[in-house]
Amino acid sequence: HFYHTRYPDIDVTIYNTGVGGDRVYMVLDRLEWDVYYGNPNKLYLLCGGNDIKYWEYGVGKEELTEDKIQYIYNSMSNYQKFIDTMNNDGKDFVFLGTALYDGGDYKGATYGDDYHKGSNKAIGIINNKISELAKEKGVKYIDFFNYTTQITNKVRETDPTSPVLSSKDRVHLTDEGYL
């Protein structure tokens, strides 16, 4: 409805094929029957949060260990495959860097502010790796992480408990955040 009300003369159809818990290799597995459904002329991929094994972070597990870093580096081969597949299929696509994990103590959060504590370091690493790969391959990349962090910090200056762009789980964005 966002685009239809603001740009009524533009014919836009949006398919959100995001699946909670997906990693980039899982998106690759369902390209033909799901992501390509409706023959989209533009694709946006917001992926990375699950590719850092976010569940490995939390109170007492904040440290970015060699194992955690190696897992991120190993997942990059799947991002390479994704780019190659999209290019081979002639798809116009944009990578969106993973948004911040919002550890702030805000209204309506389902989990405490220590949930997945330390994961933003890993999100920063995977976003940097995806950005480098996208640049190397000539693929568009939008840095959601720094963008959502800046907006969140700005709003929290005047309202420290505002959820800003994060949904109740602190990981996924609200509708406004995705737009």
Side-chain angles (χ1 to χ4, degrees):
H1 293 62
F2 177 86
Y3 290 102
H4 295 281
T5 57
R6 287 166 181 79
Y7 307 102
D9 297 331
I10 299 175
D11 184 22
V12 175
T13 302
I14 297 172
Y15 299 101
N16 180 351
T17 60
V19 174
D22 256 8
R23 296 184 203 142
V24 76
Y25 78 88
M26 299 162 116
V27 177
L28 273 166
D29 288 345
R30 58 188 180 81
L31 279 178
E32 290 298 323
W33 60 269
D34 189 20
V35 178
Y36 290 173
Y37 176 81
N39 195 26
N41 57 12
K42 188 77 150 180
L43 294 160
Y44 295 86
L45 178 72
L46 175 59
C47 209
N50 296 321
D51 289 311
I52 65 162
K53 288 173 65 171
Y54 68 87
W55 53 90
E56 297 277 332
Y57 297 86
V59 172
K61 302 187 296 183
E62 301 94 340
E63 186 181 338
L64 196 55
T65 63
E66 277 302 312
D67 288 346
K68 291 175 182 176
I69 293 170
Q70 192 57 51
Y71 186 84
I72 292 168
Y73 287 175
N74 290 344
S75 73
M76 294 315 297
S77 65
N78 290 315
Y79 284 88
Q80 175 73 50
K81 275 187 216 169
F82 185 89
I83 289 173
D84 291 344
T85 300
M86 297 299 270
N87 284 338
N88 289 338
D89 291 348
K91 298 297 182 183
D92 184 12
F93 70 102
V94 177
F95 267 118
L96 305 173
T98 299
L100 84 156
Y101 162 72
D102 190 349
D105 187 19
Y106 63 89
K107 300 176 274 203
T110 306
Y111 306 108
D113 60 1
D114 57 353
Y115 188 67
H116 303 314
K117 191 173 188 137
S119 62
N120 278 331
K121 293 175 197 167
I123 290 171
I125 290 171
I126 198 164
N127 280 343
N128 285 337
K129 298 302 281 178
I130 294 169
S131 173
E132 289 169 10
L133 184 60
K135 185 176 182 178
E136 175 187 315
K137 294 293 190 174
V139 173
K140 296 175 192 110
Y141 176 84
I142 298 173
D143 182 357
F144 252 31
F145 181 76
N146 286 316
Y147 180 70
T148 55
T149 300
Q150 289 171 8
I151 290 171
T152 298
N153 290 342
K154 182 75 174 157
V155 171
R156 295 255 171 84
E157 286 175 7
T158 55
D159 185 357
T161 61
S162 172
V164 190
L165 301 173
S166 296
S167 63
K168 291 179 182 181
D169 68 3
R170 298 180 177 276
V171 175
H172 298 96
L173 298 173
T174 58
D175 290 344
E176 294 81 9
Y178 282 115
L179 290 175

